[in-house]
């Protein structure tokens, strides 16, 4: 005879147990979602699309410290299958006492890779020597509006510059937390000469060119036996910089160059420090394991509180196995409720703190993303905790 | 009777597991805090290593941009009187309209300084031509020179409001700084284009020996008026501090979630005590103990359990972080990983854990005081 129809579990006690399991589940979800938010934010920094490739210098230990010659943007442009290139220089700076990343760009080139929607003011031109456009996230952080002036202090050199907000943009990418300036302003603030940039973002047609063939084409042009020579027709980069800066070409060691899919480029930096999506999920599981002591105690309490009811059922002939199975079925249902509530609660907390700009890592907002792996892991782990506690339960006759 | 009662309650089978439940939560906090401390101290150390800048600016307190700053020019002589200060460059920044020989007009930044060669020397500029030495001469940055097609020996006019000056470009400079897009003139020209003498935008100075920074800054601060402040041009320490604050903000949010579970754990500790020791609690009431006594028993038992759990958790957390970091150092050779927790933080964790325990145990303790005579349970 099934015990499922017997309602011997006290509703108030079930509610208390669900509440405690919900809090445990919330702790796991908050940890995992914020870790993954940080990880995804970092790996999406250069681009999320498969057809966006990063050309970078391998000598830097962070994406900010590597350098690559800007003229390579022209070499890349000439490769069949390359749709657009955007040389960018990233400079960590301080504005009004707050840490900010300034990105030096060629406005026309960037627009071919990332769509910027100007929400206020006007777009940036390469000739805007004292202007910047700022992302909506940065606008909220610094409380700036179009027309406001501010001084930028560099981190990597003893340089400073006065800039005026020319416009505010929205891109739905990490750029929203940055200020965009003409490439040469970024180079001042990064403390490098006019020939170098941090990364060259490249949009490719995957059917026409692969990462390997792009690297081969790139390193061919840097070989000392086949020095790159200025092309007869002016490239996109040269055309944009024409009349402002002339880019010089010099031999570079092919081994100092790297070409990779944008996300893999960023992942490789995190991997150097042992940080991967898997390790972050494992860390979150460790947090849940540490918090599971509370869940286990709550389950023990729950069973102790029902000792009398369980004793009655045992005395009328219900086997320990049958009672455990019944408890397991009933409590697994409540585990599902607790893990769902935990996920919803953690999502609400993170979205709230994200909206008020409280959650930031490296001056970029941590974007909350509902990861199905975390949601599933949450339920599985809470259920496993309940199952282990019930199975290990000692039931005296 | 109290001591006997507590002995009975603490010698129960479940006490160790409840202490461990709280200890594990506190261990999480202790280990994560110690790791964050390590990250922050490394960032500080790096900022001190990298912060080699010796250049400072005196600006007005309420300005957000150098062009809007107003500093009394009298400060310049006082700064020049300090022997440890190397170069003092009073500067005036203003926006002006540049009219080129071809008739085109551009809005440009004009920088005036009283020692143009020293200014260009401070930014390691290369010059094609000569430095401007009087009010009718100017130097132009090479980017602006290319943009506006204004070369050496060109004659241009600068206007700001109703004030107009005509100057001759005597040199084109390249410095890889904002001066590459500016017109640099002697201070008298900048004064003629603005409100006149006596007011500067800012004063730039550098110190001779960076190890005497504190001493020099102390003297400079004494010279400043209440409306002025000193800022360093390379603000790596400010940047590092802001990044650290972001990590601490994240840690605070996460700690809040952990303390919420500590509240739940304390509730469980109290509720479990009441459920498992209901006969003992009923016995005390039968022997004449008042409701308050039952409340105190449950309350103090939970607080002591939370305290023991906190101390054990701190030990586990710090030891665990140390063991893990040592293992990582052995495996990957990352010598910079050295987590630590200072005394203030340890005390804060214990106090917050005790606070959470009080919140968690109040309801079951009050309820038990009312119900213990009839073996009530939660």
């Amino acid at each position: 005879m099934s015990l499922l129809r017997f309602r011997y579990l006290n509703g108030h006690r079930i509610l208390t147990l669900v509440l405690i399991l919900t809090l445990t589940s919330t702790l796991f979800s908050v940890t995992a979602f914020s870790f993954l938010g940080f990880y995804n934010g970092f790996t999406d920094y250069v681009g999320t699309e498969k057809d966006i490739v990063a050309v970078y210098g391998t000598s830097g230990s962070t994406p900010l410290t590597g350098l690559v010659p800007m003229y390579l943007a022209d070499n890349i442009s000439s490769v069949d299958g390359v749709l657009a290139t955007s040389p960018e220089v990233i400079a960590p700076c301080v504005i009004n006492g707050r840490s900010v990343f300034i990105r030096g760009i060629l406005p026309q080139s960037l627009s071919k890779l990332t769509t910027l929607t100007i929400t206020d003011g006007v777009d940036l031109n390469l000739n805007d020597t004292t202007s910047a456009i700022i992302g909506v996230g940065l606008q909220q952080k610094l409380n700036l509006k179009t027309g406001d002036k501010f001084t930028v202090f560099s981190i990597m050199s003893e340089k400073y510059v006065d800039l005026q907000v020319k416009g505010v943009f929205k891109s739905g990418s990490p750029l929203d937390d940055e200020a965009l300036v003409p490439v040469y302003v970024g180079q001042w603030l990064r403390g490098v000469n006019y020939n170098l940039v941090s990364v060259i973002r490249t949009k490719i047609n995957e059917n026409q060119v692969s990462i390997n063939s792009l690297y081969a084409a790139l390193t061919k042009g840097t070989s000392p036996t086949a020095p790159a020579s200025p092309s007869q027709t002016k490239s996109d980069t040269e055309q944009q910089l024409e009349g402002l800066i002339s880019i010089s070409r010099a031999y570079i060691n092919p081994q100092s160059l790297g070409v990779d899919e944008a996300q893999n480029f960023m992942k490789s930096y995190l991997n150097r420090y042992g940080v991967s999506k898997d390790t972050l999920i494992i860390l979150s599981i460790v947090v849940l394991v540490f918090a599971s002591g509370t869940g286990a105690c709550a389950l023990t309490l729950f069973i102790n509180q029902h000792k009398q009811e369980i004793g009655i059922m045992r005395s009328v002939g219900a086997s320990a196995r049958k009672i455990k199975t019944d408890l397991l079925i009933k409590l697994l249902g409540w585990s599902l409720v607790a893990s769902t509530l935990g996920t919803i609660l953690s999502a609400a907390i993170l979205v709230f703190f994200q909206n008020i700009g409280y959650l930031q890592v490296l001056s970029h907002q941590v974007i909350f993303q509902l990861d199905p792996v975390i949601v599933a892991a949450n339920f599985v782990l809470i259920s496993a905790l309940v199952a282990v506690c019930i199975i290990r339960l000692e039931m005296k006759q | 009777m109290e001591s006997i009662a507590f002995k009975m309650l603490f010698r129960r089978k479940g006490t160790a597991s409840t202490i461990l439940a709280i200890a594990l939560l506190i261990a999480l906090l202790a280990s994560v805090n110690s790791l964050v401390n390590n990250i922050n101290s490394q960032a500080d150390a790096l900022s001190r290593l990298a912060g080699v800048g010796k250049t400072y600016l005196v600006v007005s307190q309420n300005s957000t941009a150098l062009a809007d700053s107003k500093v009394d020019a009298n400060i310049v002589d006082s700064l020049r009187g300090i022997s440890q200060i190397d170069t003092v460059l009073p500067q005036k920044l203003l926006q002006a309209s540049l009219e080129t020989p071809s008739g085109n007009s551009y809005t440009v930044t004009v920088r005036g300084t009283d020692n143009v060669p020293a200014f260009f020397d401070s930014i390691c500029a290369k010059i094609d031509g000569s430095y401007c030495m009087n009010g009718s001469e100017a130097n132009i940055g090479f980017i602006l020179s290319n943009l506006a097609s204004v070369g050496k020996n060109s004659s241009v006019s600068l206007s700001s409001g109703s004030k107009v000056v005509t100057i001759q470009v005597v040199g084109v400079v390249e410095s890889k700084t904002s001066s590459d897009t500016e017109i640099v003139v002697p201070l008298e020209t900048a004064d003629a284009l603005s409100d006149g003498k006596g007011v500067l935008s800012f004063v730039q100075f550098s110190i001779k020996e960076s190890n005497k920074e504190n001493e020099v800054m102390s003297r400079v601060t004494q010279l400043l008026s209440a409306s002025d402040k000193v800022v360093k041009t390379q603000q790596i320490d400010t940047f590092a501090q802001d990044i650290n604050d972001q990590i601490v903000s994240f840690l605070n949010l996460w700690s809040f979630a952990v303390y919420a579970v500590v509240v739940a754990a304390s509730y469980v500790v109290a509720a479990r005590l009441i459920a498992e020791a209901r006969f003992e609690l009923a016995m005390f009431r039968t022997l004449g103990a008042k409701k308050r006594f039952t409340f105190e028993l449950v309350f103090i038992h939970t607080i002591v359990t939370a305290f023991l759990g906190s101390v054990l958790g701190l030990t586990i957390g710090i030891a665990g972080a140390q063991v893990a970091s040592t293992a990582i150092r052995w495996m990957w050779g990352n010598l910079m990983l050295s987590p630590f927790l200072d005394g203030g933080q340890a005390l804060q964790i214990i106090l917050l854990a005790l606070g959470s325990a009080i919140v968690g145990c109040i309801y079951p303790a009050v309820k038990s005081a009312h119900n213990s005579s009839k073996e009530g349970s939660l």
Side-chain angles (χ1 to χ4, degrees):
Chain A
M1 182 182 157
S2 169
L3 296 176
L4 280 174
R5 285 185 296 147
F6 286 95
R7 293 186 176 177
Y8 58 96
L9 299 177
N10 181 297
H12 175 71
R13 291 166 185 162
I14 290 175
L15 196 66
T16 308
L17 177 67
V18 169
L19 185 66
I20 292 167
L21 291 178
T22 300
L23 284 173
T24 311
S25 158
T26 305
L27 177 60
F28 168 72
S29 300
V30 164
T31 310
F33 286 139
S34 47
F35 275 2
L36 287 186
F38 156 71
Y39 183 81
N40 291 335
F42 192 85
T43 54
D44 294 351
Y45 188 61
V46 177
T48 51
E49 301 88 351
K50 287 257 179 208
D51 59 351
I52 301 288
V53 169
V55 178
Y56 58 96
T58 52
S59 57
S61 55
T62 69
L64 307 175
T65 45
L67 292 169
V68 62
M70 185 154 63
Y71 78 82
L72 289 178
D74 296 339
N75 289 17
I76 300 165
S77 304
S78 61
V79 176
D80 286 339
V82 171
L83 306 175
T85 59
S86 174
E88 296 167 11
V89 57
I90 301 162
C93 298
V94 170
I95 300 172
N96 297 342
R98 305 293 301 274
S99 59
V100 172
F101 284 85
I102 302 269
R103 197 181 291 226
I105 55 158
L106 296 173
Q108 281 182 31
S109 299
L110 181 82
S111 63
K112 291 174 187 165
L113 271 81
T114 306
T115 307
L116 303 181
T117 308
I118 301 293
T119 58
D120 189 29
V122 289
D123 206 351
L124 186 74
N125 291 318
L126 197 59
N127 294 346
D128 293 326
T129 55
T130 57
S131 299
I133 54 171
I134 59 172
V136 284
L138 186 64
Q139 184 205 18
Q140 285 173 3
K141 181 179 170 178
L142 298 179
N143 198 20
L144 290 171
K145 57 184 185 300
T146 304
D148 284 353
K149 288 178 189 168
F150 57 90
T151 306
V152 184
F153 292 96
S154 173
I155 295 306
M156 303 181 95
S157 65
E158 283 196 289
K159 290 173 186 171
Y160 54 89
V161 59
D162 260 12
L163 293 173
Q164 186 168 28
V165 180
K166 194 183 178 193
V168 180
F169 68 87
K170 191 172 185 178
S171 68
S173 75
L175 288 178
D176 286 348
D177 294 311
E178 298 183 1
L180 302 182
V181 293
V183 67
Y184 49 85
V185 178
Q187 286 162 327
W188 304 335
L189 295 168
R190 173 62 181 82
V192 296
N193 66 45
Y194 293 118
N195 297 317
L196 296 169
V197 289
S198 304
V199 65
I200 299 171
R201 292 200 301 144
T202 306
K203 191 180 178 75
I204 59 168
N205 181 339
E206 291 172 284
N207 298 325
Q208 279 185 281
V209 64
S210 68
I211 287 170
N212 288 339
S213 58
L214 190 63
Y215 180 76
L218 202 59
T219 52
K220 194 178 168 188
T222 62
S223 161
T225 53
S229 58
S231 52
Q232 295 300 311
T233 55
K234 280 182 179 161
S235 66
D236 187 40
T237 308
E238 281 175 327
Q239 277 175 17
Q240 287 185 66
L241 286 169
E242 190 174 28
L244 293 180
I245 303 164
S246 57
I247 310 169
S248 62
R249 293 162 186 257
Y251 164 71
I252 54 161
N253 181 359
Q255 294 197 326
S256 67
L257 290 177
V259 181
D260 210 340
E261 193 183 299
Q263 280 191 322
N264 289 341
F265 159 61
M266 297 303 287
K267 280 178 189 169
S268 68
Y269 283 104
L270 288 175
N271 283 338
R272 289 184 199 180
Y273 301 99
V275 179
S276 67
K277 193 172 180 176
D278 294 341
T279 53
L280 292 176
I281 290 175
I282 289 168
L283 271 175
S284 306
I285 291 172
V286 169
V287 168
L288 182 66
V289 169
F290 272 61
S292 64
T294 304
C297 282
L299 280 158
T300 309
L301 168 68
F302 183 77
I303 301 299
N304 283 347
Q305 286 170 329
H306 291 92
K307 210 180 252 178
Q308 208 172 350
E309 291 84 349
I310 291 169
I312 292 168
M313 285 196 295
R314 291 281 282 145
S315 64
V316 294
S319 67
R321 188 191 175 95
K322 200 160 217 170
I323 293 171
K324 280 186 181 183
T325 308
D326 182 62
L327 280 172
L328 198 59
I329 292 168
K330 283 172 177 161
L331 291 185
L332 280 181
W334 287 112
S335 304
L336 179 62
V337 173
S339 56
T340 308
L341 286 175
T343 304
I344 293 168
L345 192 60
S346 59
I349 291 169
L350 290 173
V351 167
F352 172 74
F353 282 103
Q354 181 188 307
N355 286 343
I356 62 168
Y358 189 76
L359 282 182
Q360 291 211 327
V361 174
L362 290 175
S363 302
H364 288 81
Q365 208 168 49
V366 175
I367 303 294
F368 163 71
Q369 288 171 322
L370 202 63
D371 192 312
V373 175
I374 301 299
V375 176
N378 193 350
F379 171 65
V380 169
L381 292 166
I382 295 290
S383 302
L385 171 68
V386 170
V388 168
C389 287
I390 300 285
I391 290 164
R392 288 184 69 244
L393 189 67
E394 283 178 24
M395 249 175 231
K396 291 172 187 165
Q397 187 66 43
Chain B
M1 189 159 91
E2 281 96 340
S3 60
I4 295 170
F6 280 118
K7 271 184 191 172
M8 285 172 71
L9 297 183
F10 275 106
R11 283 177 181 171
R12 283 181 313 106
K13 195 180 160 190
T15 305
S17 62
T18 50
I19 290 175
L20 189 64
I22 292 179
L24 289 174
L25 292 169
I26 301 302
L28 274 177
L29 286 166
S31 56
V32 172
N33 270 289
S34 63
L35 279 169
V36 168
N37 283 347
N38 179 227
I39 293 167
N40 288 351
S41 72
Q42 278 181 35
D44 284 343
L46 281 172
S47 70
R48 276 195 292 275
L49 282 173
V52 292
K54 297 190 293 180
T55 309
Y56 297 81
L57 306 178
V58 177
V59 295
S60 55
Q61 286 275 7
N62 53 2
S63 63
T64 54
L66 294 173
D68 297 334
S69 170
K70 289 190 191 311
V71 175
D72 191 332
N74 291 327
I75 187 82
V76 177
D77 289 335
S78 306
L79 289 173
R80 283 179 174 150
I82 300 174
S83 58
Q84 293 102 325
I85 288 184
D86 194 10
T87 317
V88 180
L89 292 166
Q91 293 179 49
K92 188 173 265 190
L93 280 184
L94 55 111
Q95 296 283 308
S97 178
L98 167 75
E99 193 148 329
T100 66
S102 56
N104 292 325
S105 186
Y106 299 87
T107 301
V108 297
T109 301
V110 176
R111 186 189 296 257
T113 181
D114 73 344
N115 189 344
V116 174
F119 169 71
F120 283 128
D121 189 45
S122 73
I123 55 174
C124 306
K126 289 186 291 186
I127 187 157
D128 174 18
S130 60
Y131 296 122
C132 56
M133 301 308 282
N134 58 58
S136 62
E137 294 178 345
N139 290 121
I140 189 167
F142 88 99
I143 294 178
L144 181 59
S145 164
N146 290 338
L147 181 67
S149 303
V150 173
K152 202 168 54 176
N153 300 323
S154 301
S155 184
V156 295
S157 70
L158 289 171
S159 59
S160 175
S162 59
K163 292 149 185 160
V164 183
V165 293
T166 303
I167 48 173
Q168 189 179 19
V169 175
V170 292
V172 179
V173 292
E174 180 179 343
S175 62
K176 299 175 190 72
T177 70
S178 55
S179 291
D180 287 353
T181 57
E182 292 171 347
I183 288 185
V184 178
V185 292
L187 200 52
E188 61 191 269
T189 311
D191 284 340
L193 281 167
S194 61
D195 303 331
K197 286 184 174 180
V199 179
L200 303 165
S201 297
F202 62 98
V203 182
Q204 180 180 320
F205 67 92
S206 56
I207 54 175
K208 285 176 182 168
E209 296 167 75
S210 51
N211 59 349
K212 291 190 175 165
E213 181 184 350
N214 290 341
E215 188 188 331
V216 177
M217 293 316 293
S218 168
R219 291 192 62 187
V220 170
T221 310
Q222 287 171 0
L223 297 172
L224 299 182
S225 69
S227 60
D228 296 339
K229 65 178 177 183
V230 180
V231 293
K232 202 170 187 178
T233 54
Q234 192 173 7
Q235 299 196 357
I236 195 160
D237 41 358
T238 311
F239 185 87
Q241 183 60 49
D242 198 40
I243 296 292
N244 287 354
D245 289 346
Q246 290 167 14
I247 297 171
V248 171
S249 298
F250 171 71
L251 182 65
N252 287 342
L253 173 66
W254 182 79
S255 300
F256 180 77
V258 178
Y259 285 117
V261 182
V262 174
V263 171
S266 305
Y267 173 87
V268 172
V269 171
R272 203 170 155 184
L273 171 75
I274 295 159
E276 291 174 2
R278 58 180 180 269
F279 293 114
E280 290 88 338
L281 292 174
M283 183 184 72
F284 293 135
R285 289 299 301 273
T286 310
L287 290 173
K290 292 183 177 170
K291 284 181 180 178
R292 186 185 169 85
F293 177 74
T294 313
F295 172 82
E296 283 172 2
L297 272 185
V298 176
F299 185 79
I300 294 171
H301 173 271
T302 312
I303 299 299
V304 172
T305 304
F307 178 74
L308 293 174
S310 303
V311 174
L312 180 65
L314 279 174
T315 314
I316 294 172
I318 296 167
Q322 288 288 347
V323 168
S325 59
T326 306
I328 289 168
R329 281 204 301 268
W330 282 347
M331 283 190 292
W332 293 330
N334 184 355
L335 296 171
M336 296 201 320
L337 201 59
S338 178
F340 65 93
L341 198 70
D342 62 48
Q345 281 178 311
L347 187 66
Q348 187 188 337
I349 289 173
I350 290 175
L351 290 177
L352 284 171
L354 291 180
S356 305
I358 290 170
V359 173
C361 77
I362 283 284
Y363 173 71
V366 169
K367 190 133 194 199
S368 74
H370 288 288
N371 294 348
S372 57
S373 59
K374 48 182 179 177
E375 292 183 19
S377 56
L378 290 159

